[in-house]
Amino acid sequence: MNKNYYAIIMAGGIGSRFWPISRTSYPKQFIDILGTGKTLIQNTYDRFLKVCPKENIYVVTNENYTGIVKEQLPDMADNQILTEPVMRNTAPCVAYGSFKIESINPDAAIVVAPSDHLILDEAAFIASIEKSLQTATKHQCLVTLGIMPSRPDTGYGYIQYTDNTIDGDFHKVKTFTEKPNLEIAKTFLQSGDFLWNAGIFVWSAKAIVKAFEQYLPEMSDIFAEARPHYNTENEKTHVNQAYLQCTNISIDYGIMEKANNVYVLPSEFGWSDLGTWASIYELAHKDYVGNAVIPAEKVIMYDSSNCMVNIPEDKLVIIQGLHDYIVVESNNTLLICPRDQEQNVKKVVADVKQQFGTKYI
């Protein structure tokens, strides 16, 4: 196993679209949302154990989740859990992890990935990551993994690529487009040169540090100044001060959309970002009338079809006459809504917060 290979797992999100199961205090990356026996972050960590040594895997998360990370990933040392004092989107998260790794090993090659995605074909995923690590090191470029689109999905970002390639499979990126409307998504699919943006990045430590210097110079200065303090008892103090100075910006917008050395690897490994209950429903086992029930032991359904049901194991639930609904109960909260209106969950969360405070959020 290559000792220069590192992984940064981003685990700071609050997963509000999966409320009420996903709460601010215990978000979806720490939940076994698919009923597999492992949480999403545990599955992500296990995948990267096949790419790099376990001491080279880092998790960046909100400091409030430190205890949960330690509980779910007991093999991780304290210095591998990088805590953020506030949410500042993905650019500061990537900067912290990359500058820290670069200070340890300037020859490092790094894969950055969210903690809450599903990968069905693990062997294909690992092959794509290893190929990307090699290319990123060889060419000192920034690599992103693009997923071959199967439908005109409006919930994903898209990457347009050119015929200009390196190492045969890595295409020069032409444009990034955030979540388009349906008509634009359809034209993307018809054109044949667009991929879904999986939010998985690969680069050498030197290349990403250089990119921060060029495209986000203020943020670069902030994390470069902390170099003497990484891996010391002063690290947390200096990083906390650094975050308070950082702008709220994504790595996509801050660097990937601006850099001229970005390449995409078209990939197929059974990927889903598990962003909505609809994505869980698509992946879950369903009965003969289309009901997906997790767990199924104490749920009885009459004259009901195409429902997504997620209920605690100790609750007995009887559902009659519901079709195409989401039924979710967790943390003393019950949510029942039509499947085609689940995009309103964020508004529901905001309304609950306004009426009842943060107790149920």
Side-chain angles (χ1 to χ4, degrees), residues 84-322:
E84 301 177 292
V86 289
M87 292 180 69
R88 285 289 187 269
N89 215 313
T90 54
C93 161
V94 170
Y96 180 14
S98 298
F99 274 81
K100 179 181 167 91
I101 290 169
E102 184 253 3
S103 72
I104 299 168
N105 182 357
D107 296 321
I110 306 167
V111 51
V112 181
S115 58
D116 53 2
H117 288 186
L118 174 72
I119 307 293
L120 292 175
D121 189 343
E122 197 170 85
F125 173 78
I126 291 165
S128 295
I129 295 296
E130 290 180 338
K131 188 189 295 185
S132 299
L133 287 162
Q134 292 166 12
T135 292
T137 302
K138 178 181 173 183
H139 296 278
Q140 291 300 300
C141 58
L142 309 179
V143 173
T144 182
L145 269 57
I147 306 300
M148 303 296 286
S150 58
R151 60 188 181 276
D153 200 301
T154 59
Y156 296 145
Y158 285 74
I159 303 168
Q160 185 181 23
Y161 61 91
T162 71
D163 291 332
N164 181 6
T165 63
I166 55 175
D167 293 349
D169 299 318
F170 294 81
H171 292 256
K172 188 81 184 289
V173 170
K174 186 175 181 180
T175 61
F176 286 88
T177 304
E178 272 305 301
K179 302 169 183 176
N181 64 38
L182 184 59
E183 289 307 309
I184 293 175
K186 285 178 179 176
T187 63
F188 284 176
L189 251 69
Q190 289 166 0
S191 72
D193 58 355
F194 281 84
L195 302 164
W196 286 337
N197 184 355
I200 300 169
F201 308 105
V202 181
W203 39 55
S204 70
K206 290 173 183 168
I208 191 61
V209 165
K210 184 177 178 181
F212 270 101
E213 291 170 355
Q214 187 170 354
Y215 301 107
L216 291 173
E218 292 180 358
M219 194 175 294
S220 172
D221 290 344
I222 289 167
F223 286 97
E225 287 170 9
R227 275 194 179 107
H229 306 287
Y230 294 131
N231 304 296
T232 74
E233 59 185 16
N234 299 323
E235 178 175 330
K236 185 170 183 177
T237 300
H238 281 266
V239 168
N240 285 357
Q241 293 170 353
Y243 264 78
L244 297 178
Q245 302 172 62
C246 286
T247 52
N248 188 324
I249 189 169
S250 70
I251 191 69
D252 300 75
Y253 185 71
I255 289 180
M256 301 302 282
E257 293 182 19
K258 298 171 183 173
N260 59 8
N261 63 335
V262 179
Y263 289 81
V264 62
L265 176 64
S267 306
E268 290 185 275
F269 40 71
W271 171 87
S272 171
D273 73 343
L274 298 181
T276 62
W277 281 113
S279 62
I280 300 294
Y281 177 80
E282 291 300 320
L283 293 159
H285 172 75
K286 292 175 270 292
D287 65 17
Y288 70 102
V289 288
N291 293 315
V293 184
I294 307 173
E297 285 79 9
K298 291 187 178 180
V299 177
I300 302 174
M301 304 188 74
Y302 301 97
D303 184 30
S304 299
S305 63
N306 303 317
C307 290
M308 174 73 238
V309 182
N310 192 305
I311 301 292
E313 291 183 4
D314 61 338
K315 294 292 175 70
L316 171 62
V317 176
I318 291 87
I319 296 172
Q320 182 166 1
L322 276 189

